[in-house]
Amino acid sequence: MQPNQRVMNSPIIESDLDKSWVSKTDLTRFLRCPYGFYVLDKGLIQFEDTIDEFQATLIRQGVDFQSAIEARAKPLPEPIELDRLFSKESIRLFNLPLFKNSELRIMGKPDAVDTQKGQLLPVEIKSHKAVQLSDELELAFYWKLLQPHRSKETSPRGYLLLRRDGAVEEVEVPLRPAHFERVERFVEQVRNARINGVRPRICGCSICSGPMLDEVRRSTLANKDVSLIWGIGWRYAHCLEEMGITTYEQLLQADSNIIVDGLRRYKYHLSVNQVSGWKQHAKSLSIGRPILFGEPFSHHESFLALDLEYDPESTIWLIGICLVHLGKRNYYFLWADSPKQEKVILNQLHQIVQQNPSLPIITWSGASADIPQIRKATERHKISDLLGILESKHLDLFQATLRSVRFPMAGLSVDEVARFFNLPRLSSISGGLHAQMLYRQFCNSQNEAERAELKNSLIDYNRDDLESVIGIKERLVELHN
């Protein structure tokens, strides 16, 4: 076996390797957030500090899913003779040792390898149900890692074992040149980050919005960083930095067409209008007040505000509605004690909407969240009329905001915009993921007092969202007037 074909049977000690070595974990952390990767790599924080109770639950579920698959696999024979096993016709090998590719200076441990007579197709186990770009890049990373062992050339591809409706579903994933180009670029960026550090940028990851939140906010505000602009994540920010644009003031002065052409070199295809939206936000940040640039939001004396709580992979369990009419507010909280009651609350929503046929239905980001969830739910239960009625009457307040106004702050979540307008939020629930965890706790509890307390807390959280939607709508009308 050649030096770059070594397989290690014990974990690599960090001190034994120089910082040019890149692992799969390094890659995935960097893909999630370069600054988050950097502070973990430097030991400024520990991974345990970056996850909350709900995220820990998801990780445990993922570990349990993977363990169940690995438990059904045949154990590796002793002694482990991988070169011989890799040449077998078709064996899927789990519980593999750690690999090192000394030529590329990358290392990792694939969840499994499908030998296929020396083709060596990497296999990854994921507890989500849809193929994600990060999954494809992990498979590409492992494809390159296994190359020294590959005795039979084949078209690059790998497999994902996904959790769909509680069962394991296998998906073959073709790997294209663009995947390998990205992996090579990100691996090099990991190495550069270790040498040169990483600029903190606005990010929604659990590190930048958690333990490093104060540092990220302080640094980005002090540096007038372009990531303060809505729509500019770290990937766009990195490309703009390569073009000499690091602040929103520099962006404001730059030619939009030059920015579009420059981003196209990185295979990002934006329109001049999208860059113009960035510039409106840059102007708002520069002058410290909202900028109006689109058509005013339509004023409605009476309307229905709608907000859902749901598990994206299963069911809607709470539908909150507020009927606003002549200054009065009537609330309806349609609650499902179990996933089986989803159809009941959908029919109740249908009835309320039919009772108010002339009123628009206003949401915050409903076009990308609430309406798609209702679409899936109505398909599950074969409720034919509800979706069409909702879509014909729906006004998405978030989309209206994107088209017409920018605020002197980084985010555009309902919480952040409500905070800008000094609209109070009373619930202690931190967000949708926290709410999902509490609902699962509700479903699993046998204690009626605990169930009642959890239900009331979740309804209060939903009420806060409805109050925010209504309050933001009123403030936007005032701004335009």
Side-chain angles (χ1 to χ4, degrees):
M1 190 176 291
Q2 299 301 316
N4 66 345
Q5 293 176 300
R6 284 186 300 160
V7 178
M8 301 188 67
N9 292 308
S10 59
I12 291 181
I13 306 299
E14 182 76 17
S15 59
D16 292 340
L17 299 170
D18 67 53
K19 288 294 187 176
S20 66
W21 281 90
V22 177
S23 70
K24 190 274 296 186
T25 301
D26 295 332
L27 179 72
T28 53
R29 285 179 176 174
F30 191 88
L31 287 170
R32 194 172 298 118
C33 171
Y35 185 66
F37 156 77
Y38 176 72
V39 296
L40 284 169
D41 192 66
K42 294 286 286 185
L44 301 177
I45 60 172
Q46 300 302 310
F47 177 73
E48 292 75 16
D49 301 328
T50 71
I51 56 175
D52 57 25
E53 183 180 352
F54 179 74
Q55 291 166 325
T57 300
L58 293 180
I59 291 172
R60 285 194 296 271
Q61 291 172 351
V63 170
D64 291 344
F65 178 67
Q66 180 165 338
S67 297
I69 293 174
E70 292 175 341
R72 297 195 293 267
K74 281 187 177 182
L76 292 175
E78 294 288 349
I80 300 174
E81 299 178 12
L82 285 178
D83 282 351
R84 183 181 64 80
L85 291 172
F86 283 167
S87 65
K88 294 284 187 180
E89 182 162 349
S90 185
I91 299 176
R92 185 162 286 179
L93 302 172
F94 290 84
N95 298 304
L96 291 161
L98 192 66
F99 291 82
K100 287 179 65 182
N101 184 320
S102 296
E103 180 180 350
L104 300 179
R105 301 185 77 73
I106 59 176
M107 59 185 179
K109 180 181 176 182
D111 292 336
V113 171
D114 209 317
T115 61
Q116 298 209 11
K117 252 187 176 176
Q119 294 181 21
L120 304 188
L121 309 182
V123 180
E124 282 292 278
I125 302 169
K126 300 295 177 183
S127 60
H128 46 254
K129 62 191 299 185
V131 178
Q132 301 175 3
L133 175 61
S134 58
D135 302 333
E136 296 172 330
L137 295 182
E138 284 185 38
L139 290 173
F141 179 91
Y142 284 132
W143 180 272
K144 294 175 74 68
L145 179 66
L146 293 168
Q147 184 59 41
H149 294 275
R150 193 168 285 116
S151 60
K152 184 176 180 180
E153 293 304 317
T154 184
S155 57
R157 64 193 189 280
Y159 293 103
L160 292 175
L161 303 181
L162 303 176
R163 182 173 61 181
R164 291 180 173 173
D165 300 322
V168 180
E169 185 166 332
E170 182 174 302
V171 178
E172 183 174 295
V173 179
L175 299 174
R176 301 183 296 277
H179 290 127
F180 296 109
E181 290 171 9
R182 286 192 174 193
V183 167
E184 291 169 6
R185 184 168 73 249
F186 288 134
V187 164
E188 196 55 39
Q189 288 177 6
V190 166
R191 293 179 177 130
N192 290 336
R194 285 173 167 156
I195 296 170
N196 301 316
V198 177
R199 177 196 296 263
R201 290 201 149 118
I202 295 297
C203 174
C205 79
S206 59
I207 295 174
C208 294
S209 61
M212 302 305 294
L213 176 61
D214 291 341
E215 169 60 20
V216 169
R217 285 181 174 172
R218 183 200 62 75
S219 178
T220 52
L221 288 170
N223 294 325
K224 301 182 179 180
D225 193 80
V226 289
S227 66
L228 289 161
I229 294 173
W230 175 262
I232 299 184
W234 71 262
R235 290 180 177 85
Y236 283 151
H238 178 78
C239 297
L240 290 169
E241 187 172 354
E242 294 280 306
M243 297 159 59
I245 300 172
T246 60
T247 72
Y248 54 75
E249 290 181 340
Q250 291 170 333
L251 179 80
L252 195 57
Q253 300 302 318
D255 185 289
S256 296
N257 289 295
I258 293 176
I259 292 175
V260 168
D261 291 340
L263 290 173
R264 192 172 290 124
R265 292 198 297 271
Y266 298 93
K267 296 184 168 49
Y268 293 122
H269 300 281
L270 275 74
S271 68
V272 172
N273 282 341
Q274 286 173 291
V275 175
S276 296
W278 289 356
K279 288 193 167 191
Q280 297 292 352
H281 198 174
K283 185 177 180 181
S284 176
L285 289 164
S286 295
I287 66 176
R289 63 174 185 270
I291 291 293
L292 306 177
F293 58 91
E295 294 184 2
F297 185 73
S298 301
H299 178 59
H300 302 278
E301 289 284 351
S302 301
F303 58 91
L304 292 170
L306 172 69
D307 185 70
L308 308 183
E309 309 301 336
Y310 54 85
D311 183 328
E313 296 189 2
S314 57
T315 56
I316 299 168
W317 43 269
L318 174 58
I319 301 175
I321 309 162
C322 182
L323 169 60
V324 179
H325 181 62
L326 301 178
K328 295 183 179 180
R329 302 181 184 184
N330 293 321
Y331 293 90
Y332 306 86
F333 297 103
L334 313 179
W335 177 269
D337 278 339
S338 69
K340 293 181 179 179
Q341 293 186 347
E342 180 184 57
K343 184 176 181 179
V344 174
I345 64 175
L346 286 171
N347 283 326
Q348 291 173 334
L349 170 63
H350 196 179
Q351 184 178 7
I352 292 171
V353 171
Q354 286 180 318
Q355 290 171 349
N356 299 277
S358 63
L359 300 188
I361 298 167
I362 297 179
T363 68
W364 184 269
S365 201
S368 60
D370 296 348
I371 298 300
Q373 289 301 319
I374 290 174
R375 179 180 296 110
K376 289 190 288 188
T378 54
E379 289 171 355
R380 279 195 294 270
H381 300 294
K382 297 180 172 55
I383 301 174
S384 58
D385 297 338
L386 175 60
L387 181 64
I389 296 172
L390 290 176
E391 289 181 327
S392 67
K393 296 153 61 75
H394 179 227
L395 294 173
D396 189 321
L397 198 57
F398 170 71
Q399 293 296 329
T401 299
L402 280 183
R403 292 191 298 268
S404 64
V405 62
R406 289 293 183 274
F407 300 99
M409 61 183 189
L412 273 180
S413 69
V414 66
D415 290 355
E416 289 166 307
V417 178
R419 195 158 47 243
F420 176 81
F421 285 125
N422 295 316
L423 299 172
R425 289 185 66 86
L426 305 179
S427 173
S428 61
I429 296 176
S430 60
L433 293 178
H434 188 191
Q436 289 174 42
M437 182 188 71
L438 293 179
Y439 181 70
R440 290 174 189 170
Q441 185 177 335
F442 168 89
C443 291
N444 294 329
S445 176
Q446 302 299 316
N447 185 303
E448 288 304 316
E450 180 186 33
R451 282 167 62 88
E453 182 178 354
L454 287 167
K455 178 178 178 179
N456 290 334
S457 295
L458 289 164
I459 287 175
D460 287 343
Y461 170 71
N462 186 262
R463 182 192 293 268
D464 267 0
D465 279 347
L466 289 173
E467 289 286 339
S468 293
V469 170
I470 297 166
I472 292 170
K473 182 257 181 193
E474 292 172 345
R475 301 303 192 280
L476 285 175
V477 171
E478 292 172 3
L479 272 182
H480 280 284
N481 291 335

